[in-house]
Amino acid sequence: MREIFKRSNPKSIEMKIENSRVILSGWWNYFSLTESKSALTQLDSFIRKRVRINAWSQWKRIRTRYKMLRRLNVNHDKAYQWANSSKGKAKVASSPILQTTLTTGVLTRMG
């Protein structure tokens, strides 16, 4: 999973999600037979965070970040403030900036 969601991997987010779907279905089938549901929960949170990091990385310019945040129904002031954030990619992925915009529902619709 780390190899698929590596930041240096040039594929789009949709392709990364599609590639991981095959691996995840196998893991889901394996872990659903056992008592260790916490492994799936940890894996799920890891994948969601990596997808958010990849999305923020692909939105390289402030203008692009602003446009994408506006597409995700963030108001003008917050989108401008968040697009100009000086935080690193991992910090932004863990902050309310992307957790309130790239929610689980949005990620589910992406694949």
Side-chain angles (χ1 to χ4, degrees), residues 23-42:
I23 296 169
L24 289 176
S25 66
W27 284 0
W28 178 262
N29 291 333
Y30 174 75
F31 283 112
S32 65
L33 297 174
T34 66
E35 300 277 330
S36 60
K37 300 284 184 188
S38 64
L40 290 174
T41 308
Q42 290 173 351

mmCIF file of all heavy atoms in Angstrom, residues 23-42:
data_model
loop_
_atom_site.group_PDB
_atom_site.id
_atom_site.type_symbol
_atom_site.label_atom_id
_atom_site.label_comp_id
_atom_site.label_asym_id
_atom_site.label_seq_id
_atom_site.Cartn_x
_atom_site.Cartn_y
_atom_site.Cartn_z
ATOM 1 N N ILE A 23 -6.058 -5.007 -3.985
ATOM 2 C CA ILE A 23 -5.329 -5.443 -2.798
ATOM 3 C C ILE A 23 -6.234 -5.381 -1.568
ATOM 4 O O ILE A 23 -6.258 -6.297 -0.744
ATOM 5 C CB ILE A 23 -4.074 -4.575 -2.593
ATOM 6 C CG1 ILE A 23 -3.109 -4.782 -3.766
ATOM 7 C CG2 ILE A 23 -3.383 -4.899 -1.285
ATOM 8 C CD1 ILE A 23 -1.970 -3.797 -3.795
ATOM 9 N N LEU A 24 -6.999 -4.312 -1.461
ATOM 10 C CA LEU A 24 -7.862 -4.134 -0.290
ATOM 11 C C LEU A 24 -8.954 -5.182 -0.203
ATOM 12 O O LEU A 24 -9.306 -5.619 0.891
ATOM 13 C CB LEU A 24 -8.485 -2.743 -0.305
ATOM 14 C CG LEU A 24 -7.528 -1.612 -0.008
ATOM 15 C CD1 LEU A 24 -8.242 -0.275 -0.144
ATOM 16 C CD2 LEU A 24 -6.939 -1.743 1.365
ATOM 17 N N SER A 25 -9.501 -5.585 -1.350
ATOM 18 C CA SER A 25 -10.546 -6.607 -1.300
ATOM 19 C C SER A 25 -9.983 -7.927 -0.775
ATOM 20 O O SER A 25 -10.647 -8.638 -0.023
ATOM 21 C CB SER A 25 -11.190 -6.796 -2.672
ATOM 22 O OG SER A 25 -10.257 -7.330 -3.579
ATOM 23 N N GLY A 26 -8.744 -8.239 -1.139
ATOM 24 C CA GLY A 26 -8.113 -9.449 -0.616
ATOM 25 C C GLY A 26 -7.853 -9.346 0.875
ATOM 26 O O GLY A 26 -8.108 -10.292 1.630
ATOM 27 N N TRP A 27 -7.372 -8.192 1.322
ATOM 28 C CA TRP A 27 -7.132 -7.997 2.744
ATOM 29 C C TRP A 27 -8.437 -8.027 3.521
ATOM 30 O O TRP A 27 -8.502 -8.561 4.624
ATOM 31 C CB TRP A 27 -6.415 -6.674 2.986
ATOM 32 C CG TRP A 27 -4.954 -6.709 2.649
ATOM 33 C CD1 TRP A 27 -4.242 -7.763 2.173
ATOM 34 C CD2 TRP A 27 -4.045 -5.634 2.757
ATOM 35 N NE1 TRP A 27 -2.946 -7.410 1.962
ATOM 36 C CE2 TRP A 27 -2.791 -6.104 2.320
ATOM 37 C CE3 TRP A 27 -4.160 -4.317 3.159
ATOM 38 C CZ2 TRP A 27 -1.661 -5.305 2.290
ATOM 39 C CZ3 TRP A 27 -3.027 -3.526 3.121
ATOM 40 C CH2 TRP A 27 -1.803 -4.016 2.700
ATOM 41 N N TRP A 28 -9.477 -7.421 2.955
ATOM 42 C CA TRP A 28 -10.784 -7.400 3.628
ATOM 43 C C TRP A 28 -11.290 -8.825 3.828
ATOM 44 O O TRP A 28 -11.765 -9.181 4.905
ATOM 45 C CB TRP A 28 -11.775 -6.591 2.827
ATOM 46 C CG TRP A 28 -13.121 -6.577 3.442
ATOM 47 C CD1 TRP A 28 -14.189 -7.356 3.112
ATOM 48 C CD2 TRP A 28 -13.554 -5.789 4.550
ATOM 49 N NE1 TRP A 28 -15.257 -7.091 3.914
ATOM 50 C CE2 TRP A 28 -14.890 -6.125 4.817
ATOM 51 C CE3 TRP A 28 -12.944 -4.821 5.330
ATOM 52 C CZ2 TRP A 28 -15.615 -5.531 5.829
ATOM 53 C CZ3 TRP A 28 -13.674 -4.228 6.328
ATOM 54 C CH2 TRP A 28 -14.992 -4.589 6.576
ATOM 55 N N ASN A 29 -11.185 -9.636 2.788
ATOM 56 C CA ASN A 29 -11.636 -11.023 2.903
ATOM 57 C C ASN A 29 -10.822 -11.801 3.932
ATOM 58 O O ASN A 29 -11.366 -12.610 4.674
ATOM 59 C CB ASN A 29 -11.570 -11.729 1.548
ATOM 60 C CG ASN A 29 -12.603 -11.197 0.589
ATOM 61 O OD1 ASN A 29 -13.653 -10.712 1.002
ATOM 62 N ND2 ASN A 29 -12.298 -11.266 -0.692
ATOM 63 N N TYR A 30 -9.524 -11.534 3.989
ATOM 64 C CA TYR A 30 -8.679 -12.238 4.946
ATOM 65 C C TYR A 30 -8.986 -11.806 6.380
ATOM 66 O O TYR A 30 -9.218 -12.638 7.258
ATOM 67 C CB TYR A 30 -7.201 -11.983 4.638
ATOM 68 C CG TYR A 30 -6.265 -12.572 5.665
ATOM 69 C CD1 TYR A 30 -6.012 -13.944 5.699
ATOM 70 C CD2 TYR A 30 -5.647 -11.764 6.606
ATOM 71 C CE1 TYR A 30 -5.157 -14.491 6.640
ATOM 72 C CE2 TYR A 30 -4.798 -12.299 7.562
ATOM 73 C CZ TYR A 30 -4.555 -13.652 7.568
ATOM 74 O OH TYR A 30 -3.723 -14.184 8.510
ATOM 75 N N PHE A 31 -8.999 -10.500 6.635
ATOM 76 C CA PHE A 31 -9.180 -10.006 7.993
ATOM 77 C C PHE A 31 -10.623 -10.114 8.479
ATOM 78 O O PHE A 31 -10.867 -10.087 9.679
ATOM 79 C CB PHE A 31 -8.701 -8.559 8.123
ATOM 80 C CG PHE A 31 -7.205 -8.448 8.188
ATOM 81 C CD1 PHE A 31 -6.495 -7.872 7.156
ATOM 82 C CD2 PHE A 31 -6.509 -8.933 9.282
ATOM 83 C CE1 PHE A 31 -5.122 -7.767 7.224
ATOM 84 C CE2 PHE A 31 -5.137 -8.831 9.360
ATOM 85 C CZ PHE A 31 -4.436 -8.246 8.316
ATOM 86 N N SER A 32 -11.582 -10.216 7.567
ATOM 87 C CA SER A 32 -12.969 -10.352 8.021
ATOM 88 C C SER A 32 -13.212 -11.731 8.635
ATOM 89 O O SER A 32 -14.151 -11.899 9.413
ATOM 90 C CB SER A 32 -13.932 -10.106 6.862
ATOM 91 O OG SER A 32 -13.776 -11.104 5.879
ATOM 92 N N LEU A 33 -12.377 -12.694 8.310
ATOM 93 C CA LEU A 33 -12.510 -14.025 8.894
ATOM 94 C C LEU A 33 -11.910 -14.101 10.298
ATOM 95 O O LEU A 33 -12.239 -15.000 11.062
ATOM 96 C CB LEU A 33 -11.825 -15.069 7.996
ATOM 97 C CG LEU A 33 -12.421 -15.237 6.602
ATOM 98 C CD1 LEU A 33 -11.562 -16.194 5.787
ATOM 99 C CD2 LEU A 33 -13.849 -15.725 6.674
ATOM 100 N N THR A 34 -11.051 -13.170 10.611
ATOM 101 C CA THR A 34 -10.402 -13.186 11.919
ATOM 102 C C THR A 34 -11.074 -12.198 12.866
ATOM 103 O O THR A 34 -12.034 -11.545 12.513
ATOM 104 C CB THR A 34 -8.913 -12.814 11.782
ATOM 105 O OG1 THR A 34 -8.819 -11.456 11.349
ATOM 106 C CG2 THR A 34 -8.197 -13.727 10.811
ATOM 107 N N GLU A 35 -10.529 -12.094 14.024
ATOM 108 C CA GLU A 35 -11.081 -11.201 15.045
ATOM 109 C C GLU A 35 -10.408 -9.825 15.042
ATOM 110 O O GLU A 35 -10.717 -8.993 15.869
ATOM 111 C CB GLU A 35 -10.880 -11.837 16.429
ATOM 112 C CG GLU A 35 -11.561 -13.172 16.583
ATOM 113 C CD GLU A 35 -13.032 -13.011 16.943
ATOM 114 O OE1 GLU A 35 -13.374 -12.020 17.592
ATOM 115 O OE2 GLU A 35 -13.809 -13.884 16.559
ATOM 116 N N SER A 36 -9.480 -9.588 14.131
ATOM 117 C CA SER A 36 -8.690 -8.345 14.176
ATOM 118 C C SER A 36 -9.271 -7.277 13.246
ATOM 119 O O SER A 36 -8.718 -6.968 12.207
ATOM 120 C CB SER A 36 -7.236 -8.629 13.820
ATOM 121 O OG SER A 36 -7.163 -9.158 12.527
ATOM 122 N N LYS A 37 -10.371 -6.698 13.636
ATOM 123 C CA LYS A 37 -10.988 -5.620 12.869
ATOM 124 C C LYS A 37 -10.188 -4.330 12.993
ATOM 125 O O LYS A 37 -10.301 -3.441 12.161
ATOM 126 C CB LYS A 37 -12.417 -5.365 13.345
ATOM 127 C CG LYS A 37 -13.326 -6.553 13.224
ATOM 128 C CD LYS A 37 -13.752 -6.777 11.813
ATOM 129 C CE LYS A 37 -14.751 -7.929 11.789
ATOM 130 N NZ LYS A 37 -15.088 -8.349 10.485
ATOM 131 N N SER A 38 -9.378 -4.209 14.047
ATOM 132 C CA SER A 38 -8.600 -2.986 14.239
ATOM 133 C C SER A 38 -7.566 -2.813 13.122
ATOM 134 O O SER A 38 -7.225 -1.676 12.769
ATOM 135 C CB SER A 38 -7.910 -2.994 15.590
ATOM 136 O OG SER A 38 -6.972 -4.049 15.662
ATOM 137 N N ALA A 39 -7.089 -3.901 12.547
ATOM 138 C CA ALA A 39 -6.135 -3.796 11.445
ATOM 139 C C ALA A 39 -6.790 -3.123 10.246
ATOM 140 O O ALA A 39 -6.171 -2.298 9.568
ATOM 141 C CB ALA A 39 -5.620 -5.178 11.062
ATOM 142 N N LEU A 40 -8.047 -3.438 9.991
ATOM 143 C CA LEU A 40 -8.765 -2.812 8.883
ATOM 144 C C LEU A 40 -9.038 -1.344 9.168
ATOM 145 O O LEU A 40 -8.972 -0.506 8.271
ATOM 146 C CB LEU A 40 -10.086 -3.549 8.621
ATOM 147 C CG LEU A 40 -9.947 -4.942 8.034
ATOM 148 C CD1 LEU A 40 -11.299 -5.616 7.962
ATOM 149 C CD2 LEU A 40 -9.323 -4.874 6.663
ATOM 150 N N THR A 41 -9.341 -1.011 10.390
ATOM 151 C CA THR A 41 -9.599 0.381 10.757
ATOM 152 C C THR A 41 -8.341 1.219 10.593
ATOM 153 O O THR A 41 -8.399 2.333 10.056
ATOM 154 C CB THR A 41 -10.100 0.461 12.207
ATOM 155 O OG1 THR A 41 -11.200 -0.425 12.370
ATOM 156 C CG2 THR A 41 -10.517 1.861 12.563
ATOM 157 N N GLN A 42 -7.211 0.697 11.027
ATOM 158 C CA GLN A 42 -5.941 1.414 10.875
ATOM 159 C C GLN A 42 -5.575 1.569 9.405
ATOM 160 O O GLN A 42 -5.111 2.626 8.981
ATOM 161 C CB GLN A 42 -4.830 0.682 11.612
ATOM 162 C CG GLN A 42 -4.944 0.745 13.113
ATOM 163 C CD GLN A 42 -3.913 -0.134 13.811
ATOM 164 O OE1 GLN A 42 -3.214 -0.914 13.176
ATOM 165 N NE2 GLN A 42 -3.841 -0.008 15.123
#
